[in-house]
Amino acid sequence: MSEQEYRSAFEAYREIVEVELKQALHGDSRVDEAMRYSTLGGGKRVRGVLTLAFCRAFGGDVGKAAPVAAAIEMVQAFSLIHDDLPCMDDDDMRRGKPACHKRFDEATALLAGDALLANAFNTAAAAMFLPKSIKPNHAVSVVSALSGAVMEMIRGQQLDMDYESSKKLSEDDILGMYNRKTCALISAACVCGAICAGASEKNLHKARSYGVALGLAFQMTDDLLDVDSEKHDKKTYATVFGKAKTKEKAWEYADSAVKIAGSIPDSAFLKEMAIILNKREV
């Protein structure tokens, strides 16, 4: 697959996710407005796209996985709203505009994050009742995978905050944090797409492994992009081990993702995705 073909396919997947999100995020309260503000019109939708791509890779109907992809992006939005709060990472900007708590207020931002999380599970579970529906047992598996990922994300965020005051961290410490805070949702996105396609347990394992490898590469590339602007003594792979080693490890994990994708039937898009995401300018 050429880079142009990849980008065209990515945009097509992304548009499906955007349509689903707009349908899922309705209501006229202040918290609904905050939910839409933080979720719509921004973000790469990497996780939602992965859900659709894995569904297609294992021969599933992408339309059936679309609500699940939207649910995963709502979970991502929830995590970003809460991460930006003053009691967490204390960031004033998100995706080039004021963070939710700056555009509204802290209480509304907290509630918007909570509401997005609740709506995500409602959207995922409701996928079994739509005209293009997934099987009830698949919906249960999706909710289980997604809830497990949320718990790991929360544990990862706690580690992220705890590590700010740590004088020395090992590679295992940082990779363990990344596996929870970043890889958990990326991996769940891959697995949920495969579940929607009715993939076997063996193939679910491949999806999970690809997601972990891609997630580590993705986070390390983010580290390189952010290394000169880190604050609060933020501990990342790049600030602890340096840019050169981080770049080397990022490509090591990206190559691993490509190799895993090679054992998946329709994997051209997934292979290209691992390479393109890791080629972001650093």
Side-chain angles (χ1 to χ4, degrees), residues 203-221:
N203 285 331
L204 293 181
H205 177 72
K206 292 177 183 178
R208 188 175 297 110
S209 299
Y210 173 93
V212 170
L214 183 72
L216 288 171
F218 185 87
Q219 183 59 61
M220 288 186 177
T221 301

Side-chain angles (χ1 to χ4, degrees), residues 7-17 52:
R7 295 193 182 281
S8 178
F10 188 99
E11 189 55 37
Y13 284 139
R14 189 179 185 281
E15 183 57 31
I16 292 171
V17 178
L52 301 181

